[in-house]
Amino acid sequence: MCIGISLAPTWLSGEGWRQPDSGIEGLYSSDFALDTAKQAEAAHLDFVFRPDANYLPLPVLEQSFGFSSLDATLLMASIARETARIGLVTTISTTFGHPYLVARQLMSLHWLSHGRAGWNIVTALQGHENFGLPAMPPSDARYTRAIEFAEVVRALWSSFPSEALLVDRVSGRYADTAQILPIKHHGAEFAVEGPMNLPRFPGPRIPLMQAGGSAKGVDFAGQVADLVFGMTPDIASAKAMRDQLSARARAHGRAPRDIRLLPGLSLYLGETRKEARALFLETHRRVDRMQRVERVLSVIGLDLSEWPDDRRILPSDLPQPSTSNWGRTHRERLRRIVETEQPTVAELLARPEILSSVHWQVIGTVDDAFAEISNWFEAGAIDGFIAVPGGARSSLDLTLKALVPRLAEAGLFRKAYRSATFLGHLQDEDETARTNPG
């Protein structure tokens, strides 16, 4: 399987940053992320990944660091020199950026890391006010732009082939300029002449990751993605997403195995289940009842503010589902909980999906996490996962020093690197899967 880890310090969110050993003071230094990247490389992970945003919601900063962070691409460049094998996946928006600049940034990171760059392509959900836009463009418009954006970036990467570099000291010819060609792109969103002013790295290409779950997003992934950062809170949603990605891959002339579904996996780990549960609850202890009620209202449109805690929520209580793509996965997950479990108000408000994120979550021991990951993988629902440790540094340590080695011992993950490039890691897994199909 393919395993990555988020460099966003999720283990410090909520109350985690207040622990004496959190190291929160170093949050805006490269050393903070580098420490995690080195641990991940020691565990032979495929890549580290830095989510990013272009806006700053202020209310959350009263209690935690929220979306405040270093620039993702600059951070990865600072890590490149101090690591040797692990992939470095940065996040750049196609809604707010320009393809020439992005193509150059990413190829620069690829050169600096000797072939380990990756691009998480996002269309963004917020931030328009920081880029002179009156509102966020509709989802379809954002993906139309993203498709053209990615096309231009890849054309620019090919415009200056590494083979054009002659560096012939005897003749004095530096490059064969006949091979360096303009792209002459004139599309609905961009006009880019090219070529790029940086040669393509003379090795494997830059893998692409995508995270959108809408129909347009899944189709975009079917066209270009090597990896999909999925928000699949249960195995049923993971299987459905895997099936959709396979169908869209085939529709675009690709094999289903060309796209790897990697759900975010929120891991609150402890030596015992009781310890893990206590860690989870402590992390979110400042999320009060009113905040939980507001989250339910914003996701499924059901106002529980006047409901007693012991009243059961029935499927007939649910409002008509919204047709908006905003929060769709979260909305569908909460509706399924009500439809299948009919929880009391108190039970729903205590759910991890209300207290925390809508990611796949394991709150338990390393054994619990191993069993659930194995089950999802062997059922064909996922191709790996992106670890998002939560609660405390201990969850990060247990993930990298206990869980990943356990997966390796079971033959589900590598015990050592066999490649020095990001794409090489992915191809190595493909070869292993063909050799050991069971």
Side-chain angles (χ1 to χ4, degrees), residues 8-153:
T10 49
W11 55 94
L12 301 185
S13 61
E15 301 297 286
W17 67 270
R18 301 177 68 186
Q19 297 184 26
D21 64 346
S22 71
I24 188 66
E25 291 78 11
L27 181 63
Y28 306 116
S29 73
S30 62
D31 289 345
F32 192 92
L34 178 60
D35 177 65
T36 302
K38 284 184 172 180
Q39 289 186 57
E41 189 168 66
H44 311 115
L45 263 60
D46 290 83
F47 63 95
V48 291
F49 155 57
R50 189 51 171 101
D52 201 15
N54 288 289
Y55 70 105
L56 183 65
L58 289 180
V60 71
L61 284 177
E62 289 287 341
Q63 297 184 355
S64 190
F65 48 86
F67 286 170
S68 64
S69 68
L70 297 174
D71 177 85
T73 307
L74 289 175
L75 179 63
M76 290 301 180
S78 74
I79 290 172
R81 192 173 181 85
E82 303 296 326
T83 54
R85 297 289 191 93
I86 197 161
L88 306 172
V89 180
T90 186
T91 298
I92 304 177
S93 168
T94 56
T95 300
F96 304 131
H98 190 279
Y100 192 95
L101 177 62
V102 171
R104 190 178 183 215
Q105 287 176 324
L106 289 166
M107 190 55 68
S108 295
L109 179 60
H110 211 41
W111 274 97
L112 292 172
S113 64
H114 302 288
R116 294 184 287 127
W119 178 21
N120 177 39
I121 307 173
V122 298
T123 63
L125 295 172
Q126 291 175 289
H128 61 277
E129 65 277 9
N130 297 321
F131 296 88
L133 300 177
M136 283 299 297
S139 177
D140 282 0
R142 296 200 309 274
Y143 276 108
T144 297
R145 177 183 169 96
I147 290 167
E148 185 179 343
F149 195 114
E151 177 188 340
V152 175
V153 167

Side-chain angles (χ1 to χ4, degrees), residues 250-280:
R250 293 189 186 98
H252 291 287
R254 304 174 68 199
R257 68 169 179 269
D258 292 341
I259 308 175
R260 301 149 186 86
L261 174 59
L262 310 179
L265 173 53
S266 182
L267 293 159
Y268 290 83
L269 300 179
E271 297 297 336
T272 66
R273 291 177 181 172
K274 182 178 180 181
E275 180 183 309
R277 182 65 181 173
L279 175 65
F280 178 81

Side-chain angles (χ1 to χ4, degrees), residues 178-300:
Q179 296 187 52
I180 306 171
L181 303 174
I183 66 170
K184 297 184 181 298
H185 178 89
H186 299 279
E189 297 283 343
F190 304 105
V192 181
E193 183 70 11
M196 191 169 69
N197 62 344
L198 178 68
R200 186 178 61 213
F201 178 75
R205 62 176 175 82
I206 298 174
L208 305 181
M209 187 160 79
Q210 197 269 339
S214 67
K216 195 87 171 181
V218 172
D219 186 68
F220 179 47
Q223 294 180 56
V224 305
D226 299 287
L227 313 112
V228 169
F229 180 32
M231 193 173 287
T232 56
D234 52 38
I235 193 169
S237 61
K239 285 182 175 178
M241 174 65 86
R242 179 62 268 178
D243 288 345
Q244 291 171 34
L245 289 170
S246 295
R248 298 321 302 159
R250 293 189 186 98
H252 291 287
R254 304 174 68 199
R257 68 169 179 269
D258 292 341
I259 308 175
R260 301 149 186 86
L261 174 59
L262 310 179
L265 173 53
S266 182
L267 293 159
Y268 290 83
L269 300 179
E271 297 297 336
T272 66
R273 291 177 181 172
K274 182 178 180 181
E275 180 183 309
R277 182 65 181 173
L279 175 65
F280 178 81
L281 292 175
E282 171 61 21
T283 300
H284 300 96
R285 65 181 170 85
R286 283 199 280 179
V287 183
D288 60 28
R289 188 182 193 278
M290 184 53 65
Q291 289 173 303
R292 301 179 198 195
V293 167
E294 288 173 353
R295 289 179 184 181
V296 173
L297 178 61
S298 68
V299 175
I300 59 174

